[in-house]
């Protein structure tokens, strides 16, 4: 009986692990659309025109890029002389939809449509969220943010619609520009840097898991290196246990966590997630990287896979409810540290309002010219044809405006911030209210009246911190 039960569990797990590839074998949705003629076209032919059914096994293929007269784009190969490549599926939930995303690996490093040379690229389904999120990463001054270019794709002679050809996250001189640690390294001098990891929300290969708190675990997928020696595995596990312990310190005036994490990069990462209202920001696709060298720290980013929940913000995104279960790793603790809050304020002042206001023209410049290509894509996949590019652009711009103004009025302030050393004295029978930065924000006849008229937050009233709920 016990053996039969174990066998049943094993079979069930095998079926679950293969479900993504089974879904990939479903026939594509029929459509009558063809290339719009308004964008470059990426042609891909798999060997013997085999269907792409796996997210793990590459198929041999060839490709060429047709520019259709776009003088700003260099053609690559042609139908008579295509270039070698490989292709496989990618994604998690997105892989289960009829229109699928792909990972491509070129035979040699190639510059495509003005993006720097590399072998590794992704073909992502286009969304206005991707446009906004990646542009925000650049405007926020993240260390590196992937670039993308809109293309139409023809796969094995079949028009499969509009895609964003996107730089993937990997260690490279033109991408995450850090030392690349070797697989199976055992020299302790070379295992303290050259790491690219992702806080993940899926069970996958190349992962470690540690307890984050008494409610959930922290799972990290290591992207580079991929094959760990015992020495590397122990170092990475011990490192993140130490980081986690420092972040969860009961003493929120401690600077221990700053010995591991670059605070400024985490502040910029946080702002991007809040402006986008992206619940997955500290849940999954949360990348960190660390260079080799004395006193190097873990850098938050690059950003990836950003969505916009498009709702009225009433709190920080990681505290708001969504339609699925999600775990906001670390940020609930980090936001309590005064050093983090001050880094957020400093980064925000650099970009608001001037630099952030550029996002709206960026969105129009990228999204609006895709009108015909997006219509053809909708026709190909039987999607809603009323979702015009104008509607898409206006929707994301309105959401960003709302989120930006909310955030500007709700910059985080730590209740553990140091009190200003000298505050002006109030006249007799007058209660002055100060922000934690020592700025007077109002005078009231008494403390009770002051509290009744204040929004929720932390203030200094009569020389002491008062939390208004």
């Amino acid at each position: 009986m016990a053996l039969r039960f174990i066998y049943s569990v094993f079979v069930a797990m095998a079926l679950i692990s293969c479900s993504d590839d089974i879904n990939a074998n479903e026939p594509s949705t029929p459509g009558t659309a063809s290339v719009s003629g308004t964008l470059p076209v990426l042609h891909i032919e798999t060997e013997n025109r085999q269907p792409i059914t796996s997210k793990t096994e590459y198929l041999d293929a060839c490709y060429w890029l047709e520019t259709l007269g776009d003088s700003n784009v260099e053609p690559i190969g042609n139908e008579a002389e295509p270039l070698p490549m490989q292709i496989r599926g990618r994604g998690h939930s997105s892989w289960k939809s009829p229109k699928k995303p792909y990972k491509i690996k070129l035979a040699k490093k190639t510059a495509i449509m003005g993006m720097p040379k590399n072998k590794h690229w992704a073909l992502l389904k286009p969304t206005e969220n991707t446009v906004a999120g990646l542009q925000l990463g650049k405007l926020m001054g993240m260390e590196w943010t992937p670039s993308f270019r809109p293309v139409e794709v023809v796969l094995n002679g079949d028009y499969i619609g509009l895609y964003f050809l996107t730089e993937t996250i990997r260690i490279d001189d033109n991408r995450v520009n850090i030392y690349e640690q070797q697989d199976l390294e055992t020299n302790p001098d070379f295992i303290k840097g050259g790491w690219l990891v992702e806080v993940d929300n899926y069970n996958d290969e190349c992962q470690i898991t540690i307890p984050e708190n008494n409610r959930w675990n922290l799972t990290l997928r290591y992207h580079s290196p991929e094959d760990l020696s015992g020495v590397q595995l122990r170092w990475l596990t011990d490192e993140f246990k130490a980081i986690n312990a420092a972040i969860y310190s009961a003493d929120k005036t401690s600077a221990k966590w700053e010995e591991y994490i670059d605070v400024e990069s985490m502040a910029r990462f946080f702002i991007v997630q809040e402006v986008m209202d992206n619940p997955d920001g500290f849940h999954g696709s949360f990348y960190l990287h660390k260079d080799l060298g004395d006193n190097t720290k873990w850098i938050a980013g690059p950003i990836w896979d950003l969505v916009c929940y498009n709702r009225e913000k009433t709190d920080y995104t990681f505290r708001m409810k969504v339609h699925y279960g999600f775990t906001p790793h670390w940020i609930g603790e980090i936001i309590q540290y005064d050093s983090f809050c001050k880094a957020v304020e400093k980064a925000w002042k650099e970009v608001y309002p001037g630099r952030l206001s550029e996002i709206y023209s960026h969105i129009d410049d990228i999204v609006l010219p895709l009108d015909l290509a997006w219509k053809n894509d909708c026709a190909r996949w039987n999607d809603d044809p009323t979702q015009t590019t104008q509607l898409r652009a206006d929707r994301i711009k309105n959401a960003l405006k709302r989120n930006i103004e909310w955030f500007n009025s709700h910059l985080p302030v730590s209740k553990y911030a140091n009190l200003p050393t000298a505050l002006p004295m109030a006249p007799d029978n007058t209660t002055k209210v100060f922000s934690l930065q020592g700025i007077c924000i109002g005078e009231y006849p008494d403390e009770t009246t002051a509290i009744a008229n204040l929004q929720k937050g932390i203030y200094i009233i009569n020389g002491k911190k008062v939390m208004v709920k």
Side-chain angles (χ1 to χ4, degrees):
M1 180 65 71
L3 287 174
R4 183 179 301 170
F5 174 76
I6 293 171
Y7 176 75
S8 299
V9 171
F10 175 80
V11 171
M13 291 178 66
L15 289 173
I16 291 170
S17 67
C18 295
S19 62
D20 283 346
D21 287 352
I22 291 172
N23 288 331
N25 282 315
E26 296 174 356
S28 60
T29 306
T32 57
S34 60
V35 296
S36 68
T38 62
L39 289 174
V41 179
L42 180 63
H43 295 266
I44 299 173
E45 295 277 331
T46 62
E47 190 173 49
N48 300 321
R49 291 201 162 183
Q50 299 174 75
I52 303 164
T53 59
S54 173
K55 297 193 302 175
T56 57
E57 299 296 326
Y58 278 102
L59 289 180
D60 289 333
C62 60
Y63 77 102
W64 67 96
L65 181 70
E66 186 181 9
T67 64
L68 297 186
D70 188 336
S71 59
N72 296 317
V73 176
E74 290 287 334
I76 302 174
N78 54 59
E79 186 173 5
E81 296 180 340
L83 302 177
M85 64 172 289
Q86 293 181 308
I87 186 168
R88 62 172 173 82
R90 67 168 308 280
H92 291 287
S93 58
S94 57
W95 180 244
K96 299 175 183 178
S97 63
K99 181 181 178 180
K100 303 188 183 302
Y102 299 101
K103 174 78 170 61
I104 62 179
K105 182 166 66 174
L106 310 182
K108 68 175 184 177
K109 289 187 175 184
T110 303
I112 304 180
M113 300 178 69
M115 293 183 286
K117 287 183 177 183
N118 209 281
K119 290 182 180 181
H120 300 271
W121 307 84
L123 286 169
L124 305 180
K125 293 186 283 187
T127 72
E128 60 272 24
N129 297 331
T130 298
V131 175
L134 295 184
Q135 290 300 311
L136 275 173
K138 293 178 185 294
L139 292 174
M140 280 303 307
M142 303 288 288
E143 284 214 348
W144 176 76
T145 298
S147 296
F148 68 94
R149 298 290 187 271
V151 295
E152 290 181 278
V153 179
V154 175
L155 175 62
N156 293 330
D158 177 22
Y159 171 73
I160 58 172
L162 173 65
Y163 280 82
F164 287 166
L165 178 67
T166 309
E167 293 181 298
T168 55
I169 295 176
R170 58 190 303 108
I171 295 176
D172 185 87
D173 289 348
N174 294 317
R175 296 188 182 179
V176 180
N177 187 12
I178 62 174
Y179 167 78
E180 186 164 18
Q181 186 177 166
Q182 299 301 302
D183 290 340
L184 302 174
E185 181 65 74
T186 58
N187 186 334
D189 293 336
F190 294 106
I191 64 173
K192 297 179 181 179
W195 291 98
L196 174 62
V197 304
E198 174 189 4
V199 177
D200 209 350
N201 51 11
Y202 290 92
N203 291 323
D204 211 332
E205 298 179 345
C206 303
Q207 290 179 334
I208 63 167
T209 298
I210 63 171
E212 182 176 342
N213 52 41
N214 58 9
R215 291 172 292 166
W216 59 69
N217 290 331
L218 177 72
T219 296
L220 295 120
R221 182 179 181 187
Y222 43 91
H223 290 268
S224 184
E226 295 181 355
D227 296 321
L228 302 191
S229 67
V231 178
Q232 288 171 311
L233 181 60
R234 283 191 299 274
W235 186 91
L236 187 64
T237 303
D238 291 345
E239 174 81 351
F240 275 91
K241 283 182 177 179
I243 294 172
N244 196 69
I247 288 173
Y248 273 84
S249 171
D251 178 10
K252 286 299 183 285
T253 64
S254 169
K256 185 68 176 176
W257 76 285
E258 299 173 54
E259 296 176 11
Y260 298 97
I261 302 287
D262 180 84
V263 179
E264 180 185 344
S265 70
M266 190 67 75
R268 294 179 187 276
F269 185 89
F270 172 72
I271 290 172
V272 172
Q273 310 310 320
E274 287 297 319
V275 170
M276 284 296 295
D277 191 18
N278 175 31
D280 284 345
F282 291 89
H283 169 57
S285 298
F286 171 19
Y287 283 86
L288 298 149
H289 59 278
K290 186 178 188 295
D291 204 352
L292 182 65
D294 294 336
N295 303 316
T296 57
K297 299 181 182 182
W298 289 91
I299 306 292
I303 56 171
W304 184 259
D305 197 21
L306 286 90
V307 301
C308 178
Y309 224 69
N310 198 9
R311 58 187 169 176
E312 280 303 324
K313 273 179 71 66
T314 57
D315 206 339
Y316 299 117
T317 296
F318 72 90
R319 293 176 182 159
M320 294 179 68
K321 293 182 179 179
V322 294
H323 71 281
Y324 58 92
F326 78 111
T327 306
H329 299 287
W330 287 354
I331 186 58
E333 297 294 311
I334 289 176
I335 201 172
Q336 298 179 55
Y337 288 94
D338 186 42
S339 56
F340 175 75
C341 295
K342 282 186 166 56
V344 170
E345 182 182 21
K346 181 176 183 292
W348 184 253
K349 286 180 178 179
E350 289 179 10
V351 299
Y352 178 86
R355 198 184 305 168
L356 281 181
S357 65
E358 299 174 20
I359 188 65
Y360 308 115
S361 59
H362 281 305
I363 291 170
D364 283 343
D365 290 345
I366 295 170
V367 174
L368 296 183
L370 303 179
D371 187 55
L372 184 55
W374 225 319
K375 284 179 181 176
N376 286 14
D377 184 272
C378 288
R380 172 63 180 84
W381 297 105
N382 294 327
D383 286 339
D384 183 0
T386 66
Q387 297 295 303
T388 64
T389 52
Q390 188 68 63
L391 186 150
R392 295 173 191 269
D394 290 345
R395 181 169 55 212
I396 189 64
K397 288 189 296 181
N398 290 336
L400 294 181
K401 288 175 183 176
R402 184 171 62 243
N403 297 343
I404 287 170
E405 293 312 311
W406 183 92
F407 190 75
N408 186 56
S409 300
H410 297 83
L411 296 181
V413 177
S414 170
K415 64 181 179 180
Y416 302 99
N418 293 327
L419 287 172
T421 54
L423 297 178
M425 297 299 292
D428 291 343
N429 301 321
T430 301
T431 296
K432 278 191 174 184
V433 179
F434 295 85
S435 70
L436 291 180
Q437 289 76 32
I439 300 170
C440 183
I441 60 175
E443 295 185 15
Y444 302 89
D446 53 60
E447 184 172 328
T448 302
T449 304
I451 292 173
N453 285 276
L454 292 171
Q455 296 181 350
K456 66 179 182 178
I458 304 170
Y459 305 91
I460 302 168
I461 305 176
N462 293 334
K464 64 181 184 294
K465 286 183 184 177
V466 176
M467 179 177 288
V468 178
K469 299 181 179 180

